[in-house]
Amino acid sequence: MDTVSYASASTGVRVSLAVAGSQSTGNGLDTLINVENLVGSAFADTLVGNAGNNSIEGGIGSDSLDGGAGNDSLFGGNVGDSISGGAGNDSLSAQGQATSASADTIVLSGDDGNDTISARGEAHLDNSVFVDVSGGKGDDSVYGFADGFIAAGDIFPAFAIVSASGGDGNDTVVGGYGTFGFSVLTGDAGNDSLVGEGIDGVADLGLNHTLDGGTGNDTLVAGASDDVLVGGTGNDSLDGSDGIDWADYSTAAAAVSVSLALTGAQNTLSAGTDTLVRIEGVIGTAFNDTLTGNAADNGLSGDAGDDKLIGGAGDDALEGGAGNDTLDGGVGNDLACFCSATGGVSVSLAVAGPQVTGEGTDTLISIEYVIGSDYDDKLVGNGAANLLIGGDGNDSLDGAGGDDTIDGGDGVAPSSAVPGTTPCTPRALSGTSVRYPFPAATAAIRYPHPSTPAMASTRSSG
């Protein structure tokens, strides 16, 4: 196996092992015969293999490497590389740190064949890092990892962003971050295994892991953060691991029935037979869903459609969304959230049957807390101790009987209110709006996300 090295070149080079005659490399007019391997310079190189089995090393610099056909080994250097394996069973690896001048992007694509792909990036100073790795066709092993960074005195960190995709085939996709990061892991077609790693996501922005199995029978295991798991079609296993994790069925083509109280495999109706482990929240479809919690504190979001949400034991947060919904909190201090309403709502906990809320004709059962919309709401409690949160807009809040907590939010608030921020702001996560409206059993009301500081409360009678 013969190697040509351009490590001593004073500028970037362009070299192809597929060219039979002479070629202008940027370091002279060279002719390469019976050469299998290339080593680039310390600058930005373009290195291309041939139909044989090649080893190509980019060195330092923003390099473009293409293995071509054959079973190739391609190695990136220190900063933003773009690497394509081409046909064959290839091994691709790269690492990079964002420079002081710009953010860093590392892109690795396996293309055809059964490939092993690994990339790691590091943010630097104020410059984020983006790692994009994909397997393409074949049964691939894909690894993407990145570290964020925050300088002393800075308010916002430099983010670590990972996108890892298996492509077609039965793939293993592992992705994560060290600090200040989030990742999107996608299985695509085939029976895939997705694993999210990382200990410190961007929780205040609602950003951590999103795992999407795609089609096929997939196994999804999230990291230690607050994650969203999408099984897709097929019979899937969703394990949220630590943190507060959501099973998202919003892409299903028809209604689903999902219960967090079932510990084994369950027929979800339209999204396969799934097994949910260490999942705290469920997001429904645009159809008529039935979502059920367990004995823990759960979040259930029905989205559109006429949904039935059953919290069970624990302190649960229920969001029916558009449609005529039934929200049954069960045992515990439970919250009805109207955060996604497109206009003001009128909700009374004193009404036992169906009521026109402005987001449909809804029925509230065993509900103690209500969060309104971003518009002008009318919220009324009952004889129990209630929490009423108006959010944005000019709201009318009446605790009725009992020792109540009233939060008018932004806008013109009642004199007894404690001004606060709108608690149910949608949190964009990879293009999907996901809400985290968790209440807590203690005085520290956690909404809309566990990282939100506890609301200062005031008590008013009546």
Side-chain angles (χ1 to χ4, degrees):
M1 301 290 287
D2 301 300
T3 301
V4 171
S5 175
Y6 291 87
S8 61
S10 59
T11 186
V13 297
R14 298 178 59 90
V15 183
S16 174
L17 296 179
V19 175
S22 62
Q23 56 184 302
S24 177
T25 64
N27 192 54
L29 190 64
D30 300 333
T31 301
L32 278 58
I33 302 172
N34 294 327
V35 173
E36 290 79 27
N37 307 328
L38 288 174
V39 176
S41 72
F43 305 94
D45 303 314
T46 299
L47 308 178
V48 181
N50 56 22
N53 301 332
N54 308 125
S55 175
I56 302 176
E57 182 176 345
I60 300 174
S62 299
D63 304 308
S64 175
L65 311 182
D66 186 345
N71 302 328
D72 306 308
S73 297
L74 299 98
F75 306 92
N78 187 44
V79 292
D81 299 310
S82 177
I83 304 177
S84 175
N89 303 327
D90 305 309
S91 174
L92 286 66
S93 64
Q95 65 179 14
Q97 183 183 63
T99 68
S100 59
S102 64
D104 186 21
T105 300
I106 302 173
V107 180
L108 278 66
S109 175
D111 298 322
D112 294 345
N114 303 326
D115 305 309
T116 299
I117 304 169
S118 177
R120 183 185 184 102
E122 296 182 11
H124 180 64
L125 297 179
D126 294 327
N127 300 305
S128 299
V129 63
F130 176 57
V131 173
D132 183 358
V133 288
S134 58
K137 296 179 180 179
D139 301 335
D140 305 307
S141 296
V142 179
Y143 303 87
F145 200 87
D147 284 307
F149 179 83
I150 187 167
D154 282 359
I155 298 176
F156 298 105
F159 296 123
I161 306 166
V162 175
S163 174
S165 172
D168 294 344
N170 302 326
D171 307 305
T172 297
V173 181
V174 180
Y177 44 79
T179 56
F180 304 113
F182 62 95
S183 64
V184 179
L185 312 182
T186 308
D188 295 320
N191 302 328
D192 305 307
S193 175
L194 278 61
V195 179
E197 296 181 349
I199 58 174
D200 184 11
V202 194
D204 290 340
L205 300 180
L207 302 175
N208 286 293
H209 291 300
T210 296
L211 284 69
D212 187 343
T215 60
N217 303 327
D218 307 307
T219 300
L220 282 59
V221 181
S225 52
D226 303 335
D227 307 308
V228 177
L229 291 78
V230 184
T233 59
N235 304 326
D236 306 306
S237 174
L238 282 61
D239 185 346
S241 190
D242 296 334
I244 295 177
D245 305 296
W246 292 77
D248 185 351
Y249 290 89
S250 60
T251 60
V256 296
S257 176
V258 180
S259 174
L260 297 179
L262 296 178
T263 57
Q266 57 181 296
N267 182 359
T268 65
L269 300 183
S270 70
T273 299
D274 295 340
T275 301
L276 276 58
V277 180
R278 292 184 288 185
I279 297 293
E280 290 74 34
V282 180
I283 300 171
T285 73
F287 306 97
N288 305 331
D289 304 312
T290 299
L291 308 180
T292 305
N294 55 24
D297 299 345
N298 304 126
L300 306 176
S301 178
D303 207 345
D306 300 337
D307 305 307
K308 184 175 183 180
L309 311 182
I310 305 169
D315 301 330
D316 306 307
L318 312 179
E319 183 178 17
N324 305 323
D325 306 307
T326 298
L327 281 60
D328 185 348
V331 179
N333 297 319
D334 305 300
L335 176 149
C337 179
F338 292 86
C339 318
S340 61
T342 57
V345 297
S346 177
V347 181
S348 174
L349 297 180
V351 175
Q355 57 182 300
V356 178
T357 62
E359 202 178 27
T361 300
D362 301 319
T363 302
L364 276 57
I365 304 169
S366 298
I367 297 294
E368 292 76 29
Y369 304 158
V370 179
I371 297 179
S373 71
D374 289 335
Y375 305 92
D376 300 344
D377 304 314
K378 181 179 180 180
L379 308 181
V380 180
N382 54 23
N386 304 127
L387 167 66
L388 306 179
I389 304 169
D392 285 348
N394 301 324
D395 306 307
S396 172
L397 285 73
D398 183 355
D403 296 331
D404 306 303
T405 300
I406 305 295
D407 182 355
D410 293 338
V412 179
S415 59
S416 61
V418 175
T421 59
T422 303
C424 270
T425 302
R427 297 179 181 273
L429 183 58
S430 305
T432 302
S433 292
V434 179
R435 297 173 179 82
Y436 298 80
F438 274 90
T442 66
I445 305 300
R446 297 192 299 170
Y447 66 90
H449 187 277
S451 65
T452 304
M455 177 188 72
S457 62
T458 184
R459 293 284 183 178
S460 64
S461 178

